[in-house]
Amino acid sequence: MKKTAATLVLALAATFTAATGIAVAQDQPPQPSKPQPAALSETLPIPPAPVPGKAAAWVLMDYATGQVLAGENIHARREPASITKVMTSYVIAAEMAAGKISEDDEVMMSEHAWRTGGAGTDGSYSGFPVNKTAPLVQMEKGMVVQSGNDAAIALAEHVAGSEEAFAALMNAYAKRIGMENTHFVNPHGLPHEDHYSTAYDLALLGRALIRDYPKAYSYNSIKEFTVGPITQPNRNVLLWRDKSVDGIKTGHTNAAGYCLMASAKRGDQRLISVVLGDTSENQRAVHSQALLNWGFRFYETHKLYDAGQAVATQKLWKGQANEVRLGVAEPLLVSTPRGKYEQLKPTMDVPQTLVAPIAKGQRIGTVKVSLDGKVVAERPLVALEAVEEAGFFKRLWHEFLMWWNSL
């Protein structure tokens, strides 16, 4: 951990002790050497994010924290076009993880899937022959790489029996992810008045796929895929222009415009951009690239605490132990403008009186981290171990002490 992170730990300790009178755990990591002063360029204000031209909505999100670094109309409902297929991939991966389907399943290219999304339509297609089967993993790659509408329908029918039933699964998983302004009616993204999402929700979806199902996500980096005699390239041209880009999905209809959900990883930092309703295939790529470059240049991600790391110890009444260690159940990360890490202001909100029994993982309070008066990270503080109730006489004595202290 860098000196700046250690400094933040000490600040958290001082804030916590001053507020509660409770000692902070002393098992913090050692402080390394003093960092060099920030370069002048790191102390200058961050310039505005490059606005993606005439795009209807756009967002740039930090993957590790979920923080929105920049955006416009991020909660405005828009047609997601073929970015819908990222949700289809997520459902397939989730159902596979649950043991309900297998990547070796033989998936039928039904006549309905072929007629609705195949080569005879205006949309993109995979080329799998009608009334023939193919392994699920191959059909999925045909959907992901070639953006095959026919493959999306065939997969939906295999997983849930029909597009309608599959859409119900999509909406259920979307709700679990936190996509509050999204509703799906099909697995491919062809226009429908009740089929919509937002730039913010789609960024959440991209983040969820990368985090939860990295193998399924990896298909998005495949540059071309062949079905029979037909080889088609991935429509995400950033895969060729920027080696740090490894996804995610393009989309286009006349109503939706040109759309692109992109993700790139440079070092330990990953960003996700979503551009909806742009004016051309090239412009959606140019604008997405500009957003990613801007984000990597002016922001950085730090881990403040690991999961299970003790943040503080709190006095405990009527317990077999007289104190309990507090920490976070998941890693606490924060994205900050470069050069502003030391300006983070931590606070802890914990009860003044805590009485046993305490269950391991029980929420005790909250830790918040603010920058320039705005909360940029917030996590529950939980008990890192269980503490059982003490015996009768200790409980009686503590009852008296609690009464005495309240006078």
Side-chain angles (χ1 to χ4, degrees):
M1 182 179 291
K2 295 182 180 179
K3 173 68 180 297
T4 52
T7 301
L8 182 60
V9 169
L10 294 176
L12 279 166
T15 302
F16 185 80
T17 302
T20 66
I22 298 164
V24 175
Q26 297 300 310
D27 56 348
Q28 305 296 345
Q31 300 181 23
S33 58
K34 183 178 181 180
Q36 295 297 316
L40 177 61
S41 62
E42 302 291 355
T43 65
L44 295 175
I46 293 179
V51 177
K54 298 180 179 179
W58 58 276
V59 70
L60 180 68
M61 178 179 286
D62 179 79
Y63 164 76
T65 65
Q67 288 176 233
V68 172
L69 305 184
E72 289 184 353
N73 301 322
I74 66 173
H75 298 299
R77 291 180 178 179
R78 297 284 306 173
E79 291 190 26
S82 282
I83 295 180
T84 297
K85 291 163 186 159
V86 179
M87 187 75 245
T88 302
S89 290
Y90 189 93
V91 173
I92 292 169
E95 294 293 288
M96 194 179 299
K100 298 177 182 179
I101 56 175
S102 165
E103 66 177 22
D104 297 324
D105 287 358
E106 288 294 321
V107 177
M108 173 68 69
M109 177 58 68
S110 69
E111 186 167 343
H112 168 70
W114 180 75
R115 290 188 180 278
T116 305
T121 65
D122 293 332
S124 51
Y125 65 95
S126 64
F128 288 100
V130 64
N131 293 326
K132 301 288 186 181
T133 64
L136 183 147
V137 66
Q138 297 299 307
M139 192 74 74
E140 185 174 4
K141 290 177 181 178
M143 176 189 71
V144 172
V145 181
Q146 301 172 327
S147 199
N149 295 325
D150 51 351
I153 298 170
L155 287 163
E157 291 175 338
H158 179 79
V159 172
S162 69
E163 288 187 80
E164 293 77 15
F166 188 82
L169 281 178
M170 296 171 76
N171 290 319
Y173 280 110
K175 184 176 181 180
R176 183 179 299 180
I177 292 169
M179 302 171 69
E180 297 181 354
N181 293 300
T182 294
H183 186 260
F184 296 109
V185 298
N186 62 57
H188 41 68
L190 292 175
H192 190 287
E193 61 182 358
D194 290 327
H195 190 94
Y196 56 82
S197 189
T198 68
Y200 177 77
D201 280 6
L202 292 174
L204 289 182
L205 171 60
R207 183 175 181 239
L209 182 64
I210 297 167
R211 178 192 65 222
D212 299 341
Y213 304 112
K215 182 177 180 180
Y217 175 72
S218 70
Y219 301 156
N220 293 274
S221 65
I222 300 173
K223 292 184 176 180
E224 64 178 25
F225 189 67
T226 300
V227 176
I230 303 173
T231 298
Q232 297 185 67
N234 194 313
R235 289 164 173 78
N236 183 4
V237 298
L238 290 185
L239 294 175
W240 285 266
R241 297 181 183 180
D242 184 343
K243 64 181 181 180
S244 70
V245 173
D246 54 11
I248 305 178
K249 191 73 187 73
T250 63
H252 172 256
T253 65
N254 290 335
Y258 290 86
C259 308
L260 175 58
M261 177 199 292
S263 183
K265 184 177 182 182
R266 300 180 188 176
D268 293 329
Q269 187 178 17
R270 177 182 286 279
L271 300 177
I272 298 170
S273 65
V274 178
V275 174
L276 303 178
D278 216 330
T279 55
S280 72
E281 181 177 351
N282 183 62
Q283 286 301 296
R284 70 186 177 189
V286 169
H287 292 147
S288 298
Q289 180 78 80
L291 284 173
L292 292 170
N293 288 342
W294 177 85
F296 284 118
R297 169 60 186 86
F298 294 108
Y299 282 85
E300 56 189 348
T301 304
H302 297 270
K303 181 189 290 184
L304 305 187
Y305 295 110
D306 284 311
Q309 177 184 346
V311 174
T313 56
Q314 181 164 357
K315 185 174 182 178
L316 184 65
W317 298 97
K318 301 184 181 182
Q320 292 182 4
N322 293 325
E323 62 183 23
V324 60
R325 295 186 308 145
L326 306 181
V328 289
E330 298 178 352
L332 174 56
L333 301 101
V334 62
S335 295
T336 65
R338 293 188 182 276
K340 284 203 168 188
Y341 186 69
E342 290 188 342
Q343 298 177 29
L344 291 171
K345 297 184 182 300
T347 58
M348 292 188 188
D349 182 13
V350 294
Q352 291 291 333
T353 302
L354 189 62
V355 179
I358 298 294
K360 183 177 181 180
Q362 179 179 332
R363 180 169 182 168
I364 303 299
T366 304
V367 56
K368 297 180 181 180
V369 182
S370 302
L371 180 65
D372 297 330
K374 180 181 179 181
V375 175
V376 295
E378 181 176 347
R379 292 291 186 278
L381 281 173
V382 301
L384 298 182
E385 60 263 329
V387 181
E388 299 296 331
E389 227 179 15
F392 173 77
F393 289 106
K394 184 176 183 180
R395 295 201 314 272
L396 185 63
W397 175 242
H398 277 200
E399 184 71 33
F400 169 76
L401 291 177
M402 291 170 65
W403 169 79
W404 181 263
N405 289 338
S406 68
L407 294 179

